[in-house]
Amino acid sequence: ILKRRKIDTKVDKIVKKIINNVKKNGDSALVYYEKRFNDNSKIIPSKKSIDKAIRILTAAEKKAIFDSYKRIYKWHSLQLRKNIIYKDNFGNKFSYITKPLNSCAVYCPNLPSTALMNCIPAQLAGVKRIVLCTPAIKGQLNGAVMYAAKLCNVKEIVNLSGASAIAALGYGTKKIKPVDIITGPGSNYVAAAKRI
């Protein structure tokens, strides 16, 4: 049986301060937290830095990520629901229609598997805007995560982590538009920020 995370009031107190700072100060608060925790000052990576991170990967690494992409894509494609439209003998029309959310963010703590397992279902469901949120440690992007995002046709990547990332994605800033839902794993701080 899975146990629910216990609510840690100390963590909640810290997270509430971070959220309020992001709501009040926007992108400058995000840069402050990224410099402090990841030694990174760029919250939006350039296409050049993404391409550079991907180029560093070996052919074997790319193949492993691509093979994983194909397997995960196939599995999730089998789960897609079909729309049902039914007309009964009395002329009544009933329908069961599945529509995707407009936007989602995938919180990805530098694991290509997280990017694949969260972006692919969104991609298949037809979510128009998928944002990948992953930290750049000392300004360095994880090439495997960037390649996974490329395979999933992700057009928007932000270099953020922790509670400040969740606040930015939930409320939005000048540089980051808010999303409808945030998926992906994270620390107690991330979990608290999602809950709050």
Side-chain angles (χ1 to χ4, degrees):
I1 295 173
L2 293 175
K3 290 184 180 180
R4 284 181 164 259
R5 287 187 190 192
K6 288 184 180 178
I7 293 175
D8 185 331
T9 54
K10 288 178 187 175
V11 169
D12 272 14
K13 191 175 179 179
I14 294 166
V15 167
K16 284 177 184 175
K17 282 183 182 179
I18 292 169
I19 290 171
N20 288 333
N21 189 14
V22 172
K23 285 168 77 173
K24 182 180 175 185
N25 299 304
D27 296 320
S28 62
L30 297 177
V31 170
Y32 166 78
Y33 291 118
E34 286 309 300
K35 280 183 178 177
R36 182 175 171 193
F37 296 115
N38 295 317
D39 196 17
N40 176 53
S41 59
K42 292 183 180 173
I43 59 173
I44 309 289
S46 67
K47 184 181 180 326
K48 186 178 177 181
S49 64
I50 293 168
D51 292 343
K52 181 182 174 186
I54 293 171
R55 271 196 310 273
I56 294 169
L57 295 174
T58 66
E61 289 167 331
K62 281 185 176 178
K63 183 182 183 319
I65 295 165
F66 183 68
D67 289 347
S68 295
Y69 172 84
K70 288 190 302 185
R71 291 178 70 211
I72 296 166
Y73 189 96
K74 177 64 178 175
W75 170 244
H76 286 295
S77 68
L78 297 172
Q79 299 174 37
L80 285 173
R81 292 183 177 169
K82 293 182 174 75
N83 292 338
I84 301 167
I85 299 172
Y86 168 71
K87 194 171 185 179
D88 69 12
N89 294 338
F90 302 102
N92 299 310
K93 190 174 174 183
F94 303 93
S95 60
Y96 183 89
I97 297 175
T98 304
K99 291 185 179 182
L101 294 169
N102 286 319
S103 62
C104 76
V106 174
Y107 184 82
C108 178
N110 272 323
L111 300 166
S113 56
T114 296
L116 293 172
M117 289 188 282
N118 285 268
C119 292
I120 289 171
Q123 179 188 28
L124 282 165
V127 176
K128 292 181 185 107
R129 179 175 163 246
I130 303 170
V131 181
L132 183 74
C133 179
T134 189
I137 311 300
K138 295 186 179 181
Q140 299 300 307
L141 299 173
N142 182 316
V145 172
M146 295 301 105
Y147 185 61
K150 183 178 179 177
L151 291 173
C152 296
N153 203 26
V154 171
K155 304 283 187 230
E156 214 173 317
I157 297 171
V158 293
N159 293 141
L160 299 171
S161 64
S164 59
I166 304 304
L169 296 164
Y171 296 108
T173 68
K174 282 186 180 177
K175 289 186 178 180
I176 300 164
K177 290 192 306 187
V179 295
D180 295 326
I181 192 170
I182 303 168
T183 68
S187 66
N188 286 346
Y189 294 89
V190 168
K194 286 179 183 176
R195 191 181 71 253
I196 293 165

